[in-house]
């Protein structure tokens, strides 16, 4: 335990005898939890050598702590902490006054919400870990470690492992309609990191960025931290609508395959109009394909990047929604002129992604396991989507699904006034509904919820829908007659 001498670096008890200094420092460390219960302290000879003091001094301190009940000493085994930490009362929150303006923007953003408990409520839009072939993944990891452990313990290339970039390129060309080669792919830790990189490298303070409204709050946080002027562009049944009076953008952020949060796919007409507008305005397009693999009712349109003939689209992909979240692997498909700058910036941020996980993911894709896992998962999630729609129709007939043809969550419309009346009550019961209002930049044009279903088994889905229906029936919206004598409130005038 060679790190223990760092406990004595501050010499807070320097006016006391050496053994008393050692006793007090160890006692404080045990009570504060820095030395957990049952942890083994270094042998007295080793600690004496590390601290440059006599062994008898350490033995005297250890004996004192044993007599006080802080340590247990066993011949031939060592000295162990006997007490659990006594946690101090929480300190009042510290002020963030020392943050930079950019830091304050990032801290005030919503890119890192609380992680909901998987499989217990509508709050989670993650893939179901129970569907993942964990044993197979473990075998692939063991094989890679046995063959190349020395390689994976070294630093890697900022652009990413060549084998993984080649596997991703092949998959995207065949399945997502992306036009790319391996040298255009940059491996990252997350799609959020890709959005942050793009905004930091492509946007100067004060420049305009178009975002979908409603849209992904994490993207807005990244852009606001770069000093961008955020301009909301409305979303309708065909997706983001670039036609109309809008300021000139430097960057356009969109989710064309499965709009977040409404779920509508961007029509081909809108895609072509968006690309034409980006070319006319000299803007970059950031295409976030966060879960485009999960299409249920129809074959998805090709990626926006595949329709781009001018090299203006940056494609963001992730493995978090198709494998598992803690894998922490995502990627950008970049126009070649941007690759060197993005690779250098990526290296400056955190160097590279985990080498071993990149190698295992490459094996998983090349051996056909990725495609097989996608097929199986897509069938399960489609069946859960179908069950959700049936249960909502039975128990919550006032809810209207907006578009449920893809993804791991479904947006539903509420009657006017329903979002304000039912959201807090539903979440107090642990249902985990997310109001659509929180995804809007301006005044919401619709009321509703975002309901995640990917991690919910059939029994849980039925229970949640039944409880939601019971809540809505027990707390009905005021009738027209009951509201006539009162001045109408703004939230009751909003149309579904």
């Amino acid at each position: 335990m060679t790190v223990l001498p760092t406990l004595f670096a501050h010499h807070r008890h320097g006016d006391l005898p050496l053994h008393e200094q050692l006793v007090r420092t160890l006692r404080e460390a045990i009570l504060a939890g820095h030395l957990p219960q049952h942890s083994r302290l270094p042998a007295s000879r080793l600690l004496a050598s590390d601290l440059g003091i006599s062994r008898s001094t350490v033995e005297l301190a250890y004996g004192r702590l044993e007599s006080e009940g802080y340590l247990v000493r066993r011949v031939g085994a060592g000295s162990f902490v006997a007490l659990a930490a006594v946690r101090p009362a929480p300190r009042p929150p510290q002020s963030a006054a020392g943050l930079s303006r950019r830091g304050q923007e990032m801290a005030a953003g919503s890119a890192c919400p609380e992680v909901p408990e998987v499989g217990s409520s509508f709050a989670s839009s993650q893939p179901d870990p129970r569907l993942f072939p964990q044993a197979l993944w473990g075998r692939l990891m063991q094989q890679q470690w046995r063959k190349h452990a020395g390689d994976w313990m070294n630093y890697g290339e900022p652009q990413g492992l060549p084998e993984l970039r080649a596997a991703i390129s092949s998959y995207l060309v065949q399945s997502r309609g992306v036009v790319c080669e391996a040298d255009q792919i940059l491996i990252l830790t997350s799609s959020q990191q890709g959005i942050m990189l793009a905004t930091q490298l492509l946007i100067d303070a004060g420049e305009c960025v178009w975002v979908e409204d409603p849209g992904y709050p994490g993207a807005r946080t990244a852009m606001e931290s770069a000093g961008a002027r955020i301009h909301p562009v409305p979303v309708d049944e065909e997706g983001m609508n670039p036609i109309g009076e809008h300021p000139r953008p430097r960057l356009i952020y969109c989710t064309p395959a499965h709009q977040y949060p409404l779920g509508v796919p961007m029509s081909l007409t809108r895609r072509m109009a968006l690309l034409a507008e980006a070319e006319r305005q000299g803007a970059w397009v950031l295409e976030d394909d966060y879960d485009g693999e999960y299409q249920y009712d129809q074959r998805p349109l090709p990626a926006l990047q595949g329709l781009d003939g001018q090299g203006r689209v940056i494609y963001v992909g992730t493995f978090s929604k198709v494998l598992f979240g803690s894998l922490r692997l995502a990627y950008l498909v970049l126009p070649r002129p941007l690759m060197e700058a993005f690779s250098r910036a990526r290296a400056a941020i955190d160097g590279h992604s985990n080498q071993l996980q990149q190698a295992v993911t490459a094996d998983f894709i090349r051996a056909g396991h990725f495609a097989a896992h996608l097929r199986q998962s897509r069938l399960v999630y489609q069946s859960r989507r179908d069950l959700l729609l049936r249960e909502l129709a039975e128990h919550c007939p006032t809810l209207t699904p907006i578009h449920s043809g893809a993804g791991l969550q479904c947006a539903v419309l509420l009657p006017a006034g329903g979002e304000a009346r039912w959201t807090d009550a539903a979440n107090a019961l642990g249902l985990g509904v997310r109001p659509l209002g929180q995804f809007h930049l301006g005044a919401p044009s619709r009321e509703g919820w975002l309901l995640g279903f990917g991690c919910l088994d059939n029994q849980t889905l039925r229970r949640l829908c039944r409880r939601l229906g019971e809540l809505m029936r027990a707390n009905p919206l005021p009738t027209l007659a009951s509201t006539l004598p009162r001045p109408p409130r703004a939230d009751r005038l909003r149309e579904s």
Side-chain angles (χ1 to χ4, degrees):
M1 192 171 179
T2 58
V3 297
L4 191 57
T6 60
L7 293 173
F8 309 100
H10 299 296
H11 303 290
R12 292 194 300 163
H13 310 296
D15 56 336
L16 299 173
L18 283 176
H19 79 279
E20 186 65 26
Q21 294 181 42
L22 188 56
V23 167
R24 294 197 180 191
T25 302
L26 288 171
R27 185 191 295 133
E28 291 172 2
I30 292 170
L31 293 175
H34 302 312
L35 294 174
Q37 188 178 25
H38 307 307
S39 62
R40 187 176 186 274
L41 270 62
S44 58
R45 186 187 305 276
L46 176 61
L47 184 57
S49 175
D50 287 342
L51 296 177
I53 59 178
S54 70
R55 184 184 180 188
S56 61
T57 299
V58 177
E59 284 288 345
L60 183 61
Y62 277 11
R64 169 92 168 271
L65 290 168
E66 182 182 25
S67 67
E68 293 176 359
Y70 289 93
L71 298 183
V72 172
R73 308 188 73 191
R74 296 193 288 270
V75 177
S79 302
F80 299 85
V81 176
L83 289 181
V86 178
R87 300 294 181 185
R91 296 181 179 180
Q94 298 293 313
S95 170
L99 293 177
S100 67
R101 187 175 296 110
R102 176 173 293 170
Q104 293 175 33
E105 294 282 1
M106 295 177 70
S110 51
C112 297
E114 292 186 11
V115 178
E117 184 179 348
V118 173
S120 62
S121 76
F122 290 121
S124 174
S125 297
Q126 303 177 50
D128 192 336
R130 294 166 294 190
L131 302 181
F132 189 74
Q134 299 173 23
L136 170 61
W137 187 267
R139 290 196 297 272
L140 294 176
M141 287 193 70
Q142 292 173 354
Q143 292 170 10
Q144 278 290 344
W145 191 251
R146 284 198 303 268
K147 295 178 182 177
H148 307 289
D151 294 333
W152 308 146
M153 295 174 72
N154 294 325
Y155 290 107
E157 299 179 24
Q159 191 174 345
L161 198 68
E163 294 87 345
L164 178 57
R165 290 190 280 114
I168 292 173
S169 173
S170 177
Y171 163 72
L172 292 176
V173 170
Q174 296 177 42
S175 302
R176 304 297 299 127
V178 173
V179 179
C180 71
E181 296 181 8
D183 65 341
Q184 293 177 257
I185 293 176
L186 177 66
I187 304 298
L188 302 170
T189 302
S190 66
S191 57
Q192 185 67 25
Q193 184 183 52
I195 296 170
M196 289 289 292
L197 268 178
T199 55
Q200 296 293 328
L201 290 174
L202 300 178
I203 303 171
D204 285 321
E207 289 186 315
C208 178
V209 175
W210 291 2
V211 298
E212 298 165 322
D213 191 33
Y216 174 49
R220 296 202 299 264
T221 297
M223 293 159 189
E224 287 168 350
S225 71
R229 289 186 297 112
I230 306 299
H231 175 72
V233 178
V235 174
D236 58 23
E237 65 277 2
E238 292 189 66
M240 187 183 204
N241 187 0
I243 308 302
E245 294 295 327
H246 302 294
R248 181 175 184 175
R250 172 65 174 168
L251 179 71
I252 302 171
Y253 171 83
C254 58
T255 53
H258 182 224
Q259 200 277 332
Y260 189 87
L262 300 184
V264 297
M266 186 182 292
S267 69
L268 182 59
T269 301
R270 288 282 174 82
R271 292 171 186 238
M272 300 310 296
L274 182 63
L275 291 173
E277 192 66 17
E279 182 181 359
R280 187 176 72 85
Q281 302 275 18
W284 297 102
V285 178
L286 192 59
E287 178 183 11
D288 188 353
D289 194 9
Y290 64 99
D291 68 352
E293 289 84 0
Y294 298 127
Q295 298 284 339
Y296 307 131
D297 300 328
Q298 60 186 15
R299 187 173 181 83
L301 289 170
L304 191 66
Q305 190 270 0
L307 302 173
D308 174 30
Q310 304 298 319
R312 295 196 173 277
V313 177
I314 299 168
Y315 180 92
V316 186
T318 179
F319 289 107
S320 295
K321 298 293 187 183
V322 289
L323 296 182
F324 53 95
S326 66
L327 180 60
R328 311 312 298 149
L329 284 180
Y331 51 90
L332 291 179
V333 179
L334 293 158
R336 283 192 174 88
L338 295 179
M339 178 55 76
E340 182 176 358
F342 272 71
S343 293
R344 288 179 178 273
R346 193 265 191 273
I349 292 173
D350 67 350
H352 60 86
S353 296
N354 182 286
Q355 291 266 80
L356 175 60
Q357 297 286 31
Q358 289 188 70
V360 174
T361 305
D363 287 347
F364 193 74
I365 296 173
R366 291 183 298 186
H369 305 308
F370 182 66
H373 174 60
L374 273 182
R375 284 193 298 270
Q376 179 190 10
S377 299
R378 194 180 290 118
L379 291 173
V380 173
Y381 296 140
Q382 181 173 358
S383 71
R384 292 177 180 177
R385 187 279 313 261
D386 293 343
L387 178 60
L388 173 68
L389 296 181
R390 292 196 301 270
E391 292 294 310
L392 290 178
E394 177 180 351
H395 298 289
C396 311
T398 57
L399 296 183
T400 304
I402 297 176
H403 191 283
S404 56
L408 302 175
Q409 66 278 323
C410 174
V412 296
L413 291 178
L414 289 164
E419 189 176 299
R421 187 170 185 85
W422 292 322
T423 298
D424 290 343
N427 290 335
L429 295 175
L431 300 182
V433 298
R434 287 172 285 172
L436 292 182
Q438 71 183 23
F439 300 101
H440 283 267
L441 271 171
S445 59
R446 52 179 70 83
E447 296 185 44
W449 289 324
L450 187 62
L451 306 178
F453 59 82
C455 281
L456 303 179
D457 58 35
N458 291 353
Q459 181 179 357
T460 304
L461 264 173
R462 293 189 179 97
R463 175 176 57 82
L464 293 176
C465 291
R466 184 174 60 253
R467 294 186 70 186
L468 192 58
E470 292 169 353
L471 168 73
M472 296 169 71
R473 288 190 296 275
N475 298 275
L477 293 174
T479 62
L480 180 62
S482 67
T483 61
L484 284 178
R486 303 177 183 177
R489 279 172 32 197
D491 62 347
R492 290 181 181 163
L493 296 177
R494 285 181 281 183
E495 296 182 357
S496 305

